[in-house]
Amino acid sequence: AEAAAFGDSDWQSQDSKAEKALDCPCISELRNGECGVQFSDAFLCFLKSTAEEKGSDCVRPFVALQNCIKVNPGAFSKDVVKEEGEEVKKEEEPVKYRIIPPLWARDKTPSSPKPKL
C-alpha cells in the first residue's frame, strides 16, 4: 500500500504511477533479490490491473513469482516468506468463562405466596 501511494498524483498516467511505485524504498529489498524481476512483473501487473477483482488478471506473474520463491527460498527475508518446515502458529484457544448468575437471579424454591394486606 505504501509503495502504491508513493509519488501518487492525479496528473500522472497509470504506467508512470506504477513505475514510480517501484521506486519506493519500502520494496527495494524485494526488487533487488533473486526474484526481483518476477516481483516487479507481478507488482506492476497488480497496480495496472483493471479487472473487477483487482489483480485477478495477474495470475501468471504471481505464479512465476511463487515458483521463483520455491526455487530460491532465501530470495526474501523471513518477514516476507515463511520458511519451509517452519511451524504455523496455532491460534490461542479462547478462554472459557464460567458465568455465575447474581444471587437475586438464581432459582429459588417456590414458596407459598404471602398474603397481601
Side-chain angles (χ1 to χ4, degrees):
E2 182 181 344
F6 187 76
D8 196 15
S9 63
D10 293 335
W11 61 269
Q12 291 179 321
S13 72
Q14 187 177 14
D15 288 338
S16 64
K17 284 182 185 180
E19 290 297 330
K20 186 81 172 172
L22 272 179
D23 292 336
C24 181
C26 61
I27 59 169
S28 63
E29 182 182 336
L30 302 173
R31 288 184 306 114
N32 297 326
E34 295 168 319
C35 298
V37 171
Q38 293 84 350
F39 171 79
S40 295
D41 290 346
F43 184 67
L44 285 173
C45 183
F46 181 80
L47 291 177
K48 295 177 182 181
S49 175
T50 57
E52 179 73 25
E53 187 176 332
K54 183 126 176 116
S56 62
D57 52 345
C58 300
V59 172
R60 288 185 182 185
F62 277 99
V63 168
L65 175 59
Q66 185 179 23
N67 289 337
C68 181
I69 293 169
K70 285 179 183 176
V71 173
N72 302 292
F76 300 122
S77 69
K78 289 182 182 181
D79 295 341
V80 178
V81 180
K82 182 181 85 71
E83 295 277 331
E84 285 225 13
E86 186 179 336
E87 283 189 33
V88 177
K89 292 182 181 178
K90 295 180 182 178
E91 289 186 30
E92 290 184 23
E93 202 167 306
V95 178
K96 295 180 182 176
Y97 294 99
R98 186 172 150 227
I99 300 173
I100 302 172
L103 292 174
W104 58 264
R106 293 185 188 173
D107 284 337
K108 295 180 182 175
T109 338
S111 58
S112 58
K114 294 183 181 177
K116 293 184 182 181
L117 292 176

mmCIF file of all heavy atoms in Angstrom, residues 1-8 12 17 20-26:
data_model
loop_
_atom_site.group_PDB
_atom_site.id
_atom_site.type_symbol
_atom_site.label_atom_id
_atom_site.label_comp_id
_atom_site.label_asym_id
_atom_site.label_seq_id
_atom_site.Cartn_x
_atom_site.Cartn_y
_atom_site.Cartn_z
ATOM 1 N N ALA A 1 0.831 -1.181 0.000
ATOM 2 C CA ALA A 1 0.000 0.000 0.000
ATOM 3 C C ALA A 1 0.880 1.251 0.000
ATOM 4 O O ALA A 1 0.590 2.209 -0.698
ATOM 5 C CB ALA A 1 -0.921 -0.016 1.202
ATOM 6 N N GLU A 2 1.944 1.212 0.788
ATOM 7 C CA GLU A 2 2.847 2.362 0.843
ATOM 8 C C GLU A 2 3.484 2.588 -0.519
ATOM 9 O O GLU A 2 3.575 3.722 -1.001
ATOM 10 C CB GLU A 2 3.919 2.137 1.901
ATOM 11 C CG GLU A 2 4.867 3.298 2.061
ATOM 12 C CD GLU A 2 5.948 3.041 3.097
ATOM 13 O OE1 GLU A 2 5.797 2.108 3.908
ATOM 14 O OE2 GLU A 2 6.942 3.776 3.077
ATOM 15 N N ALA A 3 3.898 1.513 -1.161
ATOM 16 C CA ALA A 3 4.544 1.640 -2.470
ATOM 17 C C ALA A 3 3.546 2.130 -3.508
ATOM 18 O O ALA A 3 3.886 2.939 -4.369
ATOM 19 C CB ALA A 3 5.131 0.304 -2.897
ATOM 20 N N ALA A 4 2.310 1.655 -3.441
ATOM 21 C CA ALA A 4 1.303 2.061 -4.415
ATOM 22 C C ALA A 4 0.987 3.549 -4.290
ATOM 23 O O ALA A 4 0.659 4.204 -5.277
ATOM 24 C CB ALA A 4 0.032 1.235 -4.238
ATOM 25 N N ALA A 5 1.106 4.100 -3.096
ATOM 26 C CA ALA A 5 0.823 5.515 -2.880
ATOM 27 C C ALA A 5 2.058 6.384 -3.069
ATOM 28 O O ALA A 5 1.958 7.601 -3.090
ATOM 29 C CB ALA A 5 0.260 5.714 -1.479
ATOM 30 N N PHE A 6 3.223 5.784 -3.221
ATOM 31 C CA PHE A 6 4.484 6.514 -3.322
ATOM 32 C C PHE A 6 4.481 7.383 -4.580
ATOM 33 O O PHE A 6 4.341 6.894 -5.688
ATOM 34 C CB PHE A 6 5.663 5.539 -3.355
ATOM 35 C CG PHE A 6 7.006 6.189 -3.297
ATOM 36 C CD1 PHE A 6 7.487 6.698 -2.101
ATOM 37 C CD2 PHE A 6 7.799 6.295 -4.421
ATOM 38 C CE1 PHE A 6 8.731 7.277 -2.030
ATOM 39 C CE2 PHE A 6 9.050 6.886 -4.365
ATOM 40 C CZ PHE A 6 9.509 7.374 -3.159
ATOM 41 N N GLY A 7 4.610 8.675 -4.404
ATOM 42 C CA GLY A 7 4.657 9.594 -5.545
ATOM 43 C C GLY A 7 3.346 9.698 -6.285
ATOM 44 O O GLY A 7 3.318 10.065 -7.448
ATOM 45 N N ASP A 8 2.243 9.376 -5.630
ATOM 46 C CA ASP A 8 0.934 9.383 -6.270
ATOM 47 C C ASP A 8 0.445 10.816 -6.492
ATOM 48 O O ASP A 8 0.420 11.621 -5.587
ATOM 49 C CB ASP A 8 -0.065 8.630 -5.386
ATOM 50 C CG ASP A 8 -1.326 8.264 -6.126
ATOM 51 O OD1 ASP A 8 -1.342 8.331 -7.364
ATOM 52 O OD2 ASP A 8 -2.312 7.913 -5.447
ATOM 53 N N GLN A 12 -0.509 12.071 -13.197
ATOM 54 C CA GLN A 12 0.340 11.028 -13.762
ATOM 55 C C GLN A 12 -0.493 9.935 -14.425
ATOM 56 O O GLN A 12 -1.582 9.612 -13.979
ATOM 57 C CB GLN A 12 1.194 10.376 -12.672
ATOM 58 C CG GLN A 12 2.256 11.273 -12.098
ATOM 59 C CD GLN A 12 3.034 10.565 -11.013
ATOM 60 O OE1 GLN A 12 2.470 9.826 -10.217
ATOM 61 N NE2 GLN A 12 4.341 10.784 -10.989
ATOM 62 N N LYS A 17 2.628 6.054 -12.741
ATOM 63 C CA LYS A 17 2.366 5.819 -11.311
ATOM 64 C C LYS A 17 2.931 4.473 -10.882
ATOM 65 O O LYS A 17 3.545 4.345 -9.822
ATOM 66 C CB LYS A 17 0.857 5.848 -11.017
ATOM 67 C CG LYS A 17 0.252 7.210 -10.978
ATOM 68 C CD LYS A 17 -1.226 7.091 -10.631
ATOM 69 C CE LYS A 17 -1.927 8.416 -10.689
ATOM 70 N NZ LYS A 17 -3.354 8.294 -10.356
ATOM 71 N N LYS A 20 6.689 4.637 -10.787
ATOM 72 C CA LYS A 20 7.085 5.439 -9.623
ATOM 73 C C LYS A 20 6.947 4.604 -8.342
ATOM 74 O O LYS A 20 7.790 4.689 -7.454
ATOM 75 C CB LYS A 20 6.217 6.704 -9.553
ATOM 76 C CG LYS A 20 6.611 7.664 -8.501
ATOM 77 C CD LYS A 20 7.774 8.495 -8.968
ATOM 78 C CE LYS A 20 8.008 9.597 -7.953
ATOM 79 N NZ LYS A 20 9.199 10.335 -8.219
ATOM 80 N N ALA A 21 5.907 3.787 -8.267
ATOM 81 C CA ALA A 21 5.704 2.938 -7.088
ATOM 82 C C ALA A 21 6.847 1.949 -6.920
ATOM 83 O O ALA A 21 7.230 1.619 -5.804
ATOM 84 C CB ALA A 21 4.372 2.198 -7.190
ATOM 85 N N LEU A 22 7.414 1.493 -8.040
ATOM 86 C CA LEU A 22 8.550 0.572 -7.974
ATOM 87 C C LEU A 22 9.787 1.232 -7.365
ATOM 88 O O LEU A 22 10.678 0.553 -6.871
ATOM 89 C CB LEU A 22 8.906 0.040 -9.361
ATOM 90 C CG LEU A 22 8.173 -1.207 -9.805
ATOM 91 C CD1 LEU A 22 8.605 -1.599 -11.208
ATOM 92 C CD2 LEU A 22 8.358 -2.361 -8.861
ATOM 93 N N ASP A 23 9.848 2.557 -7.407
ATOM 94 C CA ASP A 23 10.982 3.280 -6.837
ATOM 95 C C ASP A 23 10.885 3.454 -5.323
ATOM 96 O O ASP A 23 11.821 3.955 -4.707
ATOM 97 C CB ASP A 23 11.115 4.664 -7.488
ATOM 98 C CG ASP A 23 11.524 4.573 -8.947
ATOM 99 O OD1 ASP A 23 12.140 3.548 -9.317
ATOM 100 O OD2 ASP A 23 11.232 5.511 -9.710
ATOM 101 N N CYS A 24 9.786 3.064 -4.738
ATOM 102 C CA CYS A 24 9.600 3.227 -3.290
ATOM 103 C C CYS A 24 10.654 2.419 -2.537
ATOM 104 O O CYS A 24 10.842 1.221 -2.799
ATOM 105 C CB CYS A 24 8.211 2.773 -2.869
ATOM 106 S SG CYS A 24 7.876 2.973 -1.105
ATOM 107 N N PRO A 25 11.346 3.039 -1.573
ATOM 108 C CA PRO A 25 12.361 2.314 -0.805
ATOM 109 C C PRO A 25 11.777 1.157 0.021
ATOM 110 O O PRO A 25 12.497 0.239 0.384
ATOM 111 C CB PRO A 25 12.965 3.373 0.117
ATOM 112 C CG PRO A 25 12.312 4.662 -0.198
ATOM 113 C CD PRO A 25 11.256 4.446 -1.219
ATOM 114 N N CYS A 26 10.478 1.202 0.255
ATOM 115 C CA CYS A 26 9.850 0.161 1.083
ATOM 116 C C CYS A 26 9.858 -1.211 0.401
ATOM 117 O O CYS A 26 9.676 -2.227 1.071
ATOM 118 C CB CYS A 26 8.427 0.561 1.455
ATOM 119 S SG CYS A 26 7.318 0.779 0.053
#
